[in-house]
Amino acid sequence: DTAVSQTPKYLVTQMGNDKSIKCEQNLGHDTMYWYKQDSKKFLKIMFSYNNKELIINETVPNRFSPKSPDKAHLNLHINSLELGDSAVYFCASSQGATGSNQPQHFGDGTRLSIL
Amino acid sequence: GENVEQHPSTLSVQEGDSAVIKCTYSDSASNYFPWYKQELGKRPQLIIDIRSNVGEKKDQRIAVTLNKTAKHFSLHITETQPEDSAVYFCAALGRASKIIFGSGTRLSIRP
């Protein structure tokens, strides 16, 4: 059973479209994250949620809107997609509150390609 | 802001030799330092971590050392094997409660 699962695995779409990525974790963790990994492999945090509450909101365009219906789910909606949004988006989760020194468990990633 | 620098960006070693990857961090309040391995097309996976109350930790062929005074930490892989080939990321947990990742090291093991 996959601990952190993301869908879809691949997403190819046109510039200007709106798309969503879903993430679910079955580890019972309290905190979930979204990361963006660009073509140079830099991993940068975008958001973190602790028990449905937004904790970290990095300098991310407001076209990106996370939603956490419960602590096991953190979805990412992106409006008006741009070429620069092409990247691999990773969801992750960890035990305890954001900032606790616990390892993060990553999903398999969603490769987003903007045409 | 917080920063984590990682060197080298690429590293090629002969199978059986050791590999060392070094990182420095800027936030003196950082207290947790995980290392992740990412194989091609896969997700980052934790391989070892160290907390600020210890200076060294070892798990079979992998060890991590931490020097809080100098604000640097290193990953050591001994007796390297082909399956060690991957991108390795160091990270540090800073006062803003977020994990800052290094830029990654692409490790290649030559047969």
Side-chain angles (χ1 to χ4, degrees):
Chain A
D1 287 341
T2 305
V4 181
S5 58
Q6 303 178 219
T7 54
K9 192 171 173 66
Y10 299 96
L11 190 48
V12 181
T13 190
Q14 302 272 4
M15 207 165 48
N17 284 350
D18 304 337
K19 290 293 177 187
S20 292
I21 309 172
K22 295 186 176 182
C23 179
E24 175 182 3
Q25 54 95 5
N26 63 5
L27 296 166
H29 287 167
D30 297 310
T31 302
M32 296 185 72
Y33 310 81
W34 277 110
Y35 286 88
K36 179 180 181 181
Q37 187 172 44
D38 62 22
S39 57
K40 294 183 179 177
K41 301 297 184 187
F42 291 128
L43 260 175
K44 196 162 188 315
I45 190 165
M46 300 172 69
F47 303 102
S48 88
Y49 270 73
N50 179 253
N51 205 6
K52 303 192 295 175
E53 181 186 352
L54 179 65
I55 302 298
I56 292 174
N57 184 351
E58 282 297 278
T59 310
V60 176
N62 57 15
R63 298 182 294 104
F64 290 79
S65 51
K67 280 191 174 51
S68 182
D70 55 61
K71 77 172 193 175
H73 296 83
L74 180 61
N75 304 322
L76 184 65
H77 187 77
I78 316 171
N79 289 326
S80 304
L81 282 157
E82 300 178 357
L83 290 175
D85 297 334
S86 295
V88 180
Y89 292 84
F90 284 100
C91 177
S93 71
S94 66
Q95 186 60 280
T98 301
S100 64
N101 55 3
Q102 297 297 320
Q104 296 186 13
H105 298 253
F106 285 81
D108 288 333
T110 296
R111 184 173 296 276
L112 174 63
S113 300
I114 310 301
L115 304 177
Chain B
E2 301 103 341
N3 188 42
V4 175
E5 293 197 1
Q6 183 172 348
H7 299 280
S9 57
T10 59
L11 179 59
S12 178
V13 302
Q14 194 76 34
E15 182 178 351
D17 288 351
S18 295
V20 180
I21 302 171
K22 298 182 179 182
C23 290
T24 59
Y25 59 97
S26 60
D27 186 351
S28 56
S30 294
N31 61 5
Y32 176 61
F33 308 89
W35 285 87
Y36 288 84
K37 175 184 180 182
Q38 187 178 25
E39 296 177 8
L40 188 62
K42 302 281 182 68
R43 58 191 162 98
Q45 289 192 284
L46 181 79
I47 54 171
I48 195 167
D49 57 8
I50 190 167
R51 292 173 175 81
S52 59
N53 56 345
V54 298
E56 185 172 357
K57 184 176 177 181
K58 192 172 180 182
D59 182 3
Q60 299 182 345
R61 296 186 297 108
I62 295 172
V64 58
T65 58
L66 171 64
N67 183 328
K68 286 212 73 179
T69 304
K71 291 192 284 186
H72 66 69
F73 56 115
S74 301
L75 178 73
H76 304 251
I77 306 174
T78 58
E79 300 171 26
T80 52
Q81 299 168 5
E83 53 265 35
D84 294 330
S85 294
V87 178
Y88 291 80
F89 293 95
C90 64
L93 176 65
R95 71 185 76 217
S97 299
K98 61 188 180 198
I99 290 275
I100 306 295
F101 283 84
S103 52
T105 295
R106 186 176 300 277
L107 176 62
S108 302
I109 308 301
R110 302 191 303 272

